[in-house]
Amino acid sequence: MRKFVLPLLFLLIFWPHLRAEAGGTARILWLKADGPVSTVLAGYVERGIRQAEQDGDDLVVLQLNTPGGQIDLMERIVTALRESAVPVVVYVGPRGAMAGSAGTLITLAGHVAAMAPETAIGAASPVGSQGEDLNQTLAAKEKEILRALVRSLTEGRPAGAVALAESTIQDARAVSSSEALDAGLIDIVADSREDLLQQLDGRTVRLASGDAVLHTRYATVTELNASIVEILLGLLTNPNIVFILLAVGVQAILIELSQPGGWVAGFVGAVCLALAFYGMGFLSVNWLGLIFIVLAFVLFFMEFQTPTHGALTIVGVISFVAGALILFNSPVTPEFQRVSVPLVVGTGVGLAAVFSLFIGIALRTRRLPAAMGAATLAGKAGEVRQPLAPRGTVQAEGELWSAESEDGAPLEAGTRVEIVRLDGLRLIVRKAP
């Protein structure tokens, strides 16, 4: 018996270190999905899973905070999670985050569903592409499809969890993390990353290829940052950025139309409008508002051409603000896709100020005497370069002109003359007094 005591003591003392060495080889790829479900977010999740599979990572954690998004994009993400050869944990976090609407099904699609305290999940009833309620028949079809999908994602969970999952779709019900855990809808409530990894350690998950045991207590975590392209495309789903691009684009095009022949303003306007319309393709917009925005710039342009002492500018600002709010902030638009009202008002006032400045400069310019042409030469002095007998050449205003003596008297080279008038392209001059 004594011969086993020393090895046993050795094992008890060094077991944590041996466990750390054994688990330390595990690698976790951490993804962060923050914002509405969009093409960019779906591409980011798919890229992360592919990278984890190629690099041989042991686990993918998708930290999720989303108000929801389009059903087809949600289905892309769900498919990527379910077909992943690497276990995927969906973690709704940090505190205050949500897995709303489409985010509910994405959370349930993970091989493990986890949430941070003070988070929420649910309200997954389908709506139209513009955020509006669907008609009765279409709503029934969409709900039935989503309920069938959510039942498949909650197989193996308690009956209460399945009923709760279906009610998030049928009745737009939402619950807190603690309520979801009590119902068995999720597996873990974790305060932090460290707490999550500790609770995941030793858990068995079922993949398409078979069961896998997670070793996460001493794993190495690597975060996958969004690429430059994903960041730029993500900006185009921000309604405030899209609004600014639209405003700059329309203004640049009008400047090009008012001053034809250049290319910089037209090029900038075309690029801004192309990016703005690309972004609006992902947003719930009311295209009627675009008419009012274009009308506003037309009014600004008309004020510049035929000044009305600010009347058209004021109407243009009102039209611009109304158009932007109709375009981005219609009643059916989700809150996260709405443009900032102070930004709209500030941009409208700023545009009016810029146009007013240009109008003021234009009016002052019109009151100035002519700076070129025949009227500017009369009375100016010149010098005979080739003798006038009675025709020759005279240098005036730094240029060499054909000239003729007014009274026909010859004038020698070097004689100072005064310009009487311009006759066609010939100066009529007389000897300076």
Side-chain angles (χ1 to χ4, degrees):
M1 183 67 179
R2 292 179 180 177
K3 64 180 180 180
F4 295 106
V5 174
L6 189 59
L8 183 60
L9 289 175
F10 176 85
L11 186 60
L12 290 175
I13 293 173
F14 291 100
W15 169 248
H17 301 284
L18 295 175
R19 174 72 181 275
E21 289 296 326
T25 57
R27 295 185 302 177
I28 298 175
L29 186 64
W30 195 281
L31 312 180
K32 287 187 177 181
D34 192 351
V37 176
S38 62
T39 304
V40 179
L41 190 145
Y44 169 72
V45 173
E46 291 171 340
R47 179 170 69 89
I49 293 175
R50 285 197 307 268
Q51 179 173 319
E53 292 173 343
Q54 294 170 1
D55 295 346
D57 291 330
D58 300 280
L59 180 67
V60 173
V61 177
L62 173 61
Q63 182 175 315
L64 183 66
N65 178 21
T66 179
Q70 295 177 235
I71 293 178
D72 57 338
L73 296 176
M74 175 270 294
E75 291 173 344
R76 275 181 56 184
I77 297 176
V78 168
T79 299
L81 299 182
R82 300 309 300 174
E83 291 185 349
S84 172
V86 179
V88 179
V89 174
V90 179
Y91 175 54
V92 182
R95 291 174 182 262
M98 70 171 72
S101 191
T104 303
L105 283 84
I106 294 174
T107 303
L108 298 177
H111 299 103
V112 178
M115 298 177 69
E118 302 173 11
T119 55
I121 185 172
S125 295
V127 294
S129 60
Q130 302 297 317
E132 74 279 6
D133 291 332
L134 300 175
N135 64 61
Q136 186 174 358
T137 302
L138 184 56
K141 291 181 178 180
E142 292 286 356
K143 287 182 179 180
E144 283 301 313
I145 292 174
L146 292 178
R147 287 173 60 188
L149 176 59
V150 83
R151 284 196 299 270
S152 68
L153 295 177
T154 54
E155 285 183 1
R157 295 189 181 275
V162 178
L164 175 58
E166 289 195 63
S167 68
T168 64
I169 296 170
Q170 184 64 37
D171 305 316
R173 185 179 175 185
V175 294
S176 66
S177 56
S178 58
E179 292 171 331
L181 181 65
D182 292 340
L185 186 64
I186 62 172
D187 305 293
I188 295 172
V189 172
D191 292 325
S192 61
R193 175 184 296 187
E194 293 71 21
D195 185 23
L196 175 65
L197 298 184
Q198 185 174 353
Q199 294 191 53
L200 287 173
D201 189 56
R203 182 181 291 268
T204 301
V205 297
R206 177 168 296 179
L207 303 175
S209 58
D211 292 345
V213 179
L214 305 180
H215 300 286
T216 58
R217 187 184 298 270
Y218 306 103
T220 301
V221 179
T222 302
E223 291 191 6
L224 178 65
N225 296 321
S227 66
I228 297 297
V229 174
E230 288 168 344
I231 292 174
L232 293 177
L233 292 178
L235 291 175
L236 295 179
T237 62
N238 185 323
N240 295 315
I241 299 297
V242 173
F243 165 72
I244 293 174
L245 288 173
L246 181 63
V248 172
V250 175
Q251 183 178 9
I253 291 297
L254 287 177
I255 291 175
E256 179 67 27
L257 294 175
S258 63
Q259 302 290 336
W263 60 272
V264 176
F267 175 77
V268 171
V271 171
C272 289
L273 287 179
L275 294 175
F277 280 108
Y278 177 83
M280 284 190 286
F282 299 106
L283 301 174
S284 301
V285 296
N286 185 341
W287 294 101
L288 177 64
L290 192 61
I291 298 176
F292 287 91
I293 292 178
V294 174
L295 175 62
F297 283 96
V298 171
L299 293 173
F300 291 151
F301 180 75
M302 292 174 61
E303 178 73 58
F304 182 74
Q305 296 295 321
T306 55
T308 59
H309 305 290
L312 292 180
T313 299
I314 294 175
V315 177
V317 171
I318 296 174
S319 177
F320 178 83
V321 173
L325 296 179
I326 293 173
L327 183 65
F328 293 100
N329 291 13
S330 59
V332 298
T333 302
E335 186 65 32
F336 62 87
Q337 288 189 359
R338 296 194 173 195
V339 71
S340 168
V341 175
L343 175 64
V344 172
V345 176
T347 303
V349 173
L351 289 174
V354 171
F355 272 93
S356 297
L357 177 62
F358 283 139
I359 291 170
I361 294 174
L363 290 175
R364 287 195 298 270
T365 302
R366 291 179 182 179
R367 296 191 184 103
L368 294 175
M372 59 184 298
T376 65
L377 292 174
K380 296 293 180 66
E383 183 178 333
V384 177
R385 290 301 186 186
Q386 290 183 358
L388 303 184
R391 295 181 180 179
T393 58
V394 170
Q395 185 172 6
E397 297 295 303
E399 297 179 331
L400 199 62
W401 291 81
S402 296
E404 180 179 348
S405 174
E406 181 183 29
D407 55 6
L411 298 174
E412 299 294 331
T415 303
R416 300 290 295 175
V417 295
E418 178 184 351
I419 300 173
V420 178
R421 64 181 185 279
L422 181 66
D423 184 10
L425 296 178
R426 183 182 299 112
L427 297 180
I428 306 299
V429 300
R430 62 189 174 198
K431 187 175 181 179

